[in-house]
């Protein structure tokens, strides 16, 4: 088991390296750099001015050097301009030339400096990630129990009327992406035309003081899309378990139906959905980006949109590192959990 | 003129769609009449869920096709009519001329364009791109997944690592990185198109060659014909303004009859790129399972080549799950296209596709509902139809 986890970690690191390099390559293509220069300098820069701007900030060096710098294995870029100003990739406002470190990359724990927000990247990421984790937490609290409930109730008696209607509900919810359900919810529950002003259409205030009124709709929107899938998986695994021999035996013994479901079937039926729930995390990330733009909630997804829109290279890299690790770690947990939960695999 | 009432709007919308109803009726009547001779497709009409799903999907397909032929739309989806900004459904056109449709059936959006016509036109964009992109993703996934599952070993490890690499990327981040005007300017999407669009040709070539290898007299002309046509399509697809065709000396630019705008190409390529690793994993898993069967061993003993076994023994036997996944994946691609439109990536801002329209409509959602809701409901019903269709297909294919 230890070796297995170690190997998975190796693969994870390799994947993260490859992916950050791809992001690095894409953000450092010349048109993107030109866009960065023009948004940071001014829109009417001539081609030569753009070139000087990039030269002075170390953007026009070879790709591998720049990537090494970001990793912290190549010394940072430094240059003294004609007017005596000291510039470089490790220079931060308020830090003197002597104090500026030679290396500044993730190996040194420095995630870089955001050109969009004019602040340290790790600061921004932590702050926004906190907002998003809070959102995710409530999504999980709402989504997982209700999805399992729907799945178990539907799978309990296959083909019954409950099964039909709950299955239709789960298909409907998988067919409704967040931007559709979000728009419908906002239209129905917040607009002045329908008149049901139950909730608020934006979650901007939810960042400071989340209340049911301003926070429920975003949570519901994300939860609903993921719910259908988990519910269908639970239903499939539940129907399979309900046809197993030991359930028949329990029935013939005269165990009551609720007891069969809770004591015999449920435990075995919940192994498969566990994997699915873990693998839903990466998809939640998608939903988070959509819902955060839709409800104007400034979290991780909002940072992603801002960073990508302004070609903020170092922020974008940090965002991709975080999201890639979320994906890979959830995969790891789902693999380990699957082995742990399933006695047949655990013992052999 | 008076504004139309709700009942009248419904009647008029239904009337505008009459060509769709006729086509749907014909299709269903014919299919049900001959359902015993139509294989899996015919069996679909035994399950009510499958029939509802198929009906919904075909409804939007016909709406897309007839909409593109200008049979349904009442106004030009891009033209703005003064005085119609954000007007409610059924508002009569101020100063309508002779021969012009006198109402905005579903109202006007915030640029005073007809919502009804835009939704109809948007269907055509989805109906065009989603199935085709899914098909391409399947070709890529099958061409790489079959050998990975069949041979295993290093090839499998390498290809699986690549697939997992792409899958570990959050889709939205990938879209934000790939689908921008800056990236289009670098020509990267064209490069990706050159690589990705090659797979269908390889697939076709290997498919036919492995089957007819033993009859060269039949194979050679067939291959020349099919691959020639495919290559021509390939060149026409990837070259813009005869760019690639002309760069190969001796080829006239007549070979490039149609151009795909850079914006559409990049959307298409990234959707294929995002979908193919999942297809790869499914095909690989199926191939690994099926290669242990007796009929594969029989073919190996007969001395059939590996590609014959993969494409003519394994693939047909994996068709059930693949067809079901194909339907689900078209739905997923539709959602992805909507996401792209929602974030304003790739497609031009005035484009009537559903995602862009939802994005535009949501800004004024608390005051005006009518611009955002029709495209949202349209997208919902199409994806729902595809999911139901996949469910029906799964049910019916399990009955055998």
């Amino acid at each position: 088991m230890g070796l297995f986890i170690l190997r998975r970690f190796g693969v994870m690191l390799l994947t993260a390296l490859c992916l950050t390099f791809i992001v690095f390559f894409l953000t450092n293509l010349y048109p993107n750099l030109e866009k960065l220069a023009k948004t940071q300098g001014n829109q009417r820069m001539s081609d030569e001015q753009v070139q000087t701007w990039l030269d002075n900030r170390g953007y026009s060096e070879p790709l591998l050097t720049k990537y090494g710098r970001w990793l912290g294995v190549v010394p940072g870029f430094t240059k003294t301009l004609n007017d005596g100003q000291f510039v470089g990739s490790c220079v931060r406002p308020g830090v003197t030339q002597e104090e500026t470190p030679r290396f500044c990359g993730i190996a040194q724990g420095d995630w870089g400096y955001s050109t969009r927000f004019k602040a340290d990247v790790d600061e921004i990421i932590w702050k926004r990630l906190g907002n998003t984790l809070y959102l995710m937490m409530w999504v999980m609290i709402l989504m997982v129990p209700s999805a399992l409930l729907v799945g178990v109730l539907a799978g309990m008696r296959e083909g019954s009327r409950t099964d039909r209607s709950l299955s239709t509900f789960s298909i409907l919810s998988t067919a409704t992406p967040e931007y559709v359900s979000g728009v419908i919810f906002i239209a129905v529950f917040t607009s002045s035309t329908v008149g049901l002003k139950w909730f608020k259409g934006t979650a901007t205030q939810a960042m400071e003081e989340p209340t049911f009124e301003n926070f429920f709709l975003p949570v519901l929107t994300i939860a609903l899309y993921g719910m259908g899938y988990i519910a269908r998986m639970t239903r499939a695994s539940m129907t399979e378990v309900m046809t197993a021999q030991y359930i028949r035996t329990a029935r013939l013994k005269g165990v009551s139906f609720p007891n069969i479901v809770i004591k015999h079937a449920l435990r075995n039926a919940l192994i498969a959905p566990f994997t699915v729930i873990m693998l839903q995390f990466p998809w939640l990330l998608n939903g988070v980006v959509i819902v955060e733009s839709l409800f104007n909630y400034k979290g991780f997804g909002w940072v992603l949109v801002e960073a990508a829109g302004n070609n903020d290279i170092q922020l974008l890299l940090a965002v991709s590192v975080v999201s890639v690790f979320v994906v890979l770690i959830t995969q790891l947990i789902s693999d380990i959990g699957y082995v742990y939960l399933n006695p047949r695999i655990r013992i052999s | 003129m008076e504004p139309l009432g709700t009942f009248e709007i419904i009647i008029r919308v239904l009337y505008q769609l009459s060509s769709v109803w006729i086509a749907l009726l014909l299709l269903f009547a014919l299919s049900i009449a001959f359902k015993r001779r139509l294989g899996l497709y015919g069996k679909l009409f035994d399950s009510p869920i499958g029939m509802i799903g198929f009906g919904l999907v075909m409804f939007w397909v016909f709406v897309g096709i007839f909409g593109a032929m200008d049979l349904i739309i009442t106004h030009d989806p891009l033209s703005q009519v003064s005085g119609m900004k954000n007007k409610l459904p059924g508002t009569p056109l101020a100063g309508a001329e002779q021969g012009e449709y006198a109402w905005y059936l579903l109202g006007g959006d915030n640029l005073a364009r007809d919502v009804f016509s835009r939704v109809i036109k948007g269907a055509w964009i989805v109906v065009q791109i989603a199935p085709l992109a899914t098909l391409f993703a399947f070709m890529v996934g099958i061409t790489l997944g079959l050998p990975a599952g069949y041979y295993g070993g290093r090839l499998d490890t390498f290809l699986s690592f690549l697939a997992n690499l792409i899958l570990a990327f959050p889709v939205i981040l990938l879209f934000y990185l790939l689908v921008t005007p800056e990236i289009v300017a670098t020509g990267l999407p064209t490069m990706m198109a050159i690589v990705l669009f090659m797979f269908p040709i390889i697939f076709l070539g290997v498919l036919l060659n492995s089957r007819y290898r033993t009859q060269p007299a039949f194979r050679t002309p067939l291959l020349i014909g099919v691959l020639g046509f495919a290559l021509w399509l390939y060149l026409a697809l990837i070259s813009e303004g005869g760019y690639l065709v002309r760069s190969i000396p001796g080829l006239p630019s007549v070979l490039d009859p149609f151009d795909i705008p850079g914006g559409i190409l990049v959307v298409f390529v990234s959707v294929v790129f995002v979908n193919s690793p999942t297809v790869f994993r499914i095909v690989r898993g199926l191939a690994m399972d099926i290669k242990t069967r007796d009929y594969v061993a029989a073919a190996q003993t007969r001395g059939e080549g590996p590609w014959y076994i993969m494409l003519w023994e394994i693939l047909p036997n994996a068709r059930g799950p693949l067809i079901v996944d194909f339907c689900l994946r078209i739905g997923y691609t539709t959602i992805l296209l909507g996401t792209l439109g929602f974030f304003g990536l790739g497609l031009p801002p005035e484009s009537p596709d559903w995602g862009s329209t939802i994005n535009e409509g949501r800004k004024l959602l608390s005051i005006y509902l009518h611009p955002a809701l029709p495209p949202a409901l349209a997208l919902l019903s199409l994806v729902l139809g595809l999911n139901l269709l996949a469910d029906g297909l799964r049910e019916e294919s399990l009955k055998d």
Side-chain angles (χ1 to χ4, degrees):
Chain A
M1 194 71 175
L3 195 71
F4 165 75
I5 295 178
L6 210 69
R7 254 190 59 185
R8 287 296 296 263
F9 261 104
V11 174
M12 234 159 95
L13 271 181
L14 189 64
T15 313
L17 267 183
C18 291
L19 284 181
T20 47
F21 186 73
I22 295 171
V23 176
F24 205 82
F25 168 74
L26 288 174
T27 46
N28 274 285
L29 287 169
Y30 189 74
N32 271 335
L33 288 179
E34 192 181 342
K35 183 171 120 192
L36 177 70
K38 284 186 175 168
T39 45
Q40 291 298 310
N42 73 63
Q43 283 298 329
R44 276 191 279 278
M45 276 206 265
S46 67
D47 287 351
E48 291 88 63
Q49 280 170 318
V50 168
Q51 196 57 52
T52 338
W53 192 93
L54 293 177
D55 285 341
N56 284 342
R57 280 156 189 83
Y59 284 118
S60 26
E61 286 185 31
L63 188 68
L64 278 177
T65 323
K66 284 189 285 184
Y67 186 60
R69 265 185 207 143
W70 179 74
L71 286 177
V73 291
V74 175
F77 172 82
T78 49
K79 189 175 179 183
T80 313
L81 296 184
N82 295 337
D83 54 2
Q85 197 195 344
F86 179 74
V87 292
S89 54
C90 297
V91 178
R92 298 281 180 278
V95 181
T96 60
Q97 186 174 347
E98 289 72 38
E99 282 170 27
T100 301
R102 220 164 81 78
F103 291 90
C104 56
I106 46 171
Q108 283 77 36
D110 189 341
W111 288 84
Y113 190 74
S114 159
T115 47
R116 161 74 177 81
F117 295 101
K118 306 273 182 267
D120 277 333
V121 165
D122 44 353
E123 215 173 278
I124 302 169
I125 294 279
W126 280 123
K127 188 173 161 215
R128 298 303 172 190
L129 205 56
N131 283 348
T132 296
L133 283 179
Y134 187 75
L135 179 67
M136 292 278 239
M137 183 185 84
W138 281 105
V139 169
M140 282 292 165
I141 291 175
L142 178 67
M143 179 174 81
V144 174
S146 34
L148 291 180
L149 192 69
V150 168
V152 167
L153 283 180
M156 216 159 60
R157 293 177 208 264
E158 197 185 359
S160 66
R161 195 169 293 165
T162 334
D163 179 25
R164 289 273 170 216
S165 46
L166 286 178
S167 296
T168 315
F169 166 74
S170 26
I171 291 187
L172 192 66
S173 95
T174 40
T176 323
E178 290 93 348
Y179 52 89
V180 170
S181 53
V183 160
I184 294 176
F185 286 148
I186 294 180
V188 174
F189 293 120
T190 72
S191 80
S192 46
T193 14
V194 177
L196 296 173
K197 291 181 122 186
W198 291 356
F199 300 105
K200 287 219 166 80
T202 74
T204 321
Q205 288 132 334
M207 285 178 286
E208 278 84 44
E209 38 169 350
T211 58
F212 183 69
E213 199 187 14
N214 59 23
F215 204 55
F216 182 65
L217 277 191
V219 171
L220 182 68
T221 309
I222 304 181
L224 209 57
Y225 185 47
M227 205 149 92
Y229 190 60
I230 300 179
R232 289 178 79 176
M233 288 293 155
T234 318
R235 178 188 172 270
S237 115
M238 189 71 190
T239 48
E240 204 188 310
V241 169
M242 287 307 279
T243 54
Q245 299 279 331
Y246 57 87
I247 298 289
R248 204 179 57 184
T249 312
R251 269 204 161 166
L252 294 177
K253 265 191 330 198
V255 182
S256 71
F257 190 72
N259 254 338
I260 291 179
V261 171
I262 292 166
K263 288 199 179 144
H264 297 257
L266 211 54
R267 251 205 234 169
N268 293 301
L270 290 184
I271 297 174
F274 173 77
T275 330
V276 180
I277 292 170
M278 284 328 275
L279 294 179
Q280 279 283 312
F281 266 100
W283 293 109
L284 284 185
L285 202 69
N286 269 343
V288 160
V289 181
I290 294 171
V291 165
E292 284 182 3
S293 344
L294 194 59
F295 288 93
N296 205 7
Y297 182 80
K298 289 179 180 161
F300 187 68
W302 177 75
V303 171
L304 192 156
V305 173
E306 285 291 312
N310 294 289
N311 200 42
D312 190 337
I313 298 175
Q314 292 184 321
L315 188 56
L316 208 49
L317 282 164
V319 167
S320 40
V321 169
V322 172
S323 35
V324 165
F325 269 94
V326 168
V327 174
L328 297 176
I329 287 175
T330 47
Q331 276 177 7
L332 186 71
I333 296 177
S334 86
D335 281 1
I336 296 171
Y338 191 71
V339 174
Y340 186 75
L341 284 176
N342 198 339
R344 269 174 244 168
I345 302 178
R346 187 175 55 202
I347 288 160
S348 67
Chain B
M1 241 182 298
E2 291 291 303
L4 299 175
T6 318
F7 182 69
E8 218 173 336
I9 293 175
I10 295 172
I11 294 292
R12 279 181 181 272
V13 167
L14 292 181
Y15 177 72
Q16 274 318 109
L17 292 170
S18 46
S19 49
V20 176
W21 304 128
I22 295 169
L24 267 183
L25 265 180
L26 272 178
L27 180 74
F28 268 74
L30 282 176
S31 306
I32 290 175
F34 296 106
K35 73 176 174 185
R36 290 284 159 255
R37 289 191 233 159
L38 289 168
L40 182 64
Y41 169 75
K43 281 201 201 112
L44 194 63
F45 291 88
D46 288 336
S47 102
I49 292 182
M51 242 161 50
I52 295 172
F54 185 68
L56 274 173
V57 173
M58 286 322 285
F59 170 77
W60 285 112
V61 170
F62 286 134
V63 165
I65 294 170
F66 294 140
M69 289 153 65
D70 285 349
L71 281 178
I72 304 174
I73 55 170
T74 51
H75 295 89
D76 179 37
L78 296 182
S79 73
Q80 309 174 345
V81 176
S82 67
M84 295 307 287
K85 186 175 166 184
N86 289 329
K87 281 289 184 297
L88 291 176
T91 309
L93 231 60
E97 284 162 30
Q98 197 71 43
E100 207 177 2
Y101 201 78
W103 294 275
Y104 267 8
L105 283 176
L106 296 179
D109 64 3
N110 69 337
L111 287 173
R113 296 168 299 196
D114 182 30
V115 173
F116 177 72
S117 308
R118 284 178 71 77
V119 171
I120 301 292
K121 275 285 180 189
W124 177 230
I125 296 179
V126 172
V127 168
Q128 257 180 312
I129 298 182
L132 206 61
T134 315
L135 192 68
F136 270 69
F138 262 75
M139 297 270 191
V140 177
I142 289 173
T143 320
L144 293 176
L146 281 178
Y150 184 72
Y151 289 119
R154 285 236 180 98
L155 179 77
D156 181 27
T157 317
F158 175 70
L159 287 177
S160 296
F161 178 74
L162 274 190
N164 287 338
L165 200 68
I166 303 171
L167 284 177
F169 238 119
V171 179
I172 295 224
L173 183 64
L174 199 69
F175 280 162
Y176 259 107
L177 288 173
L178 272 181
V179 192
T180 60
E182 285 79 23
I183 296 281
V184 176
T186 60
L188 193 74
T190 321
M191 303 295 237
M192 285 172 69
I194 289 175
V195 176
L196 285 176
F197 293 177
M198 203 113 78
F199 281 99
I201 300 183
I202 298 175
F203 177 79
L204 270 181
V206 177
L207 183 79
L208 294 175
N209 185 43
S210 62
R211 184 81 168 89
Y212 298 108
R213 198 166 43 100
T214 45
Q215 304 148 263
F218 177 67
R219 175 202 63 175
T220 318
L222 182 75
L223 272 186
I224 291 176
V226 171
L227 289 189
F229 182 68
L231 265 177
W232 168 70
L233 267 183
Y234 174 72
L235 286 176
L237 266 174
I238 56 175
S239 61
E240 224 173 297
Y243 155 70
L244 203 98
V245 176
R246 237 180 273 143
S247 65
I248 305 170
L251 285 178
S253 55
V254 190
L255 280 180
D256 190 17
F258 51 88
D259 275 336
I260 297 185
I264 303 275
L265 187 72
V266 72
V267 167
F268 192 84
V269 168
S270 23
V271 170
V272 173
F273 188 69
V274 166
N275 271 322
S276 38
T278 330
V279 181
F280 163 83
R281 293 235 294 213
I282 296 170
V283 174
R284 171 180 165 270
L286 287 170
M288 278 166 89
D289 175 30
I290 294 177
K291 80 172 173 188
T292 54
R293 303 285 167 87
D294 287 343
Y295 49 82
V296 174
Q300 280 164 340
T301 332
R302 276 206 310 272
E304 302 284 6
W307 280 103
Y308 178 85
I309 295 176
M310 282 185 244
L311 290 169
W312 293 96
E313 299 281 350
I314 295 181
L315 191 59
N317 286 298
R319 69 178 185 280
L322 286 183
I323 292 173
V324 172
D325 186 69
F326 188 72
C327 290
L328 286 177
R329 202 148 289 283
I330 296 178
Y332 180 59
T333 311
T334 310
I335 292 181
L336 280 185
L337 287 175
T339 313
L340 279 171
F342 181 77
F343 283 111
L345 297 168
L347 299 160
E350 78 277 0
S351 130
D353 73 289
W354 294 338
S356 314
T357 324
I358 294 173
N359 183 33
E360 238 170 78
R362 80 181 163 102
K363 288 163 193 157
L364 288 172
L365 206 54
S366 55
I367 321 166
Y368 304 110
L369 306 179
H370 59 273
L373 280 185
L377 294 176
L379 198 140
L380 172 60
S381 60
L382 175 59
V383 179
L384 180 67
L386 284 161
N387 281 358
L388 291 176
L389 178 62
D391 247 39
L393 281 173
R394 183 184 298 141
E395 228 169 73
E396 291 303 317
S397 69
L398 280 181
K399 275 187 190 165
D400 301 338

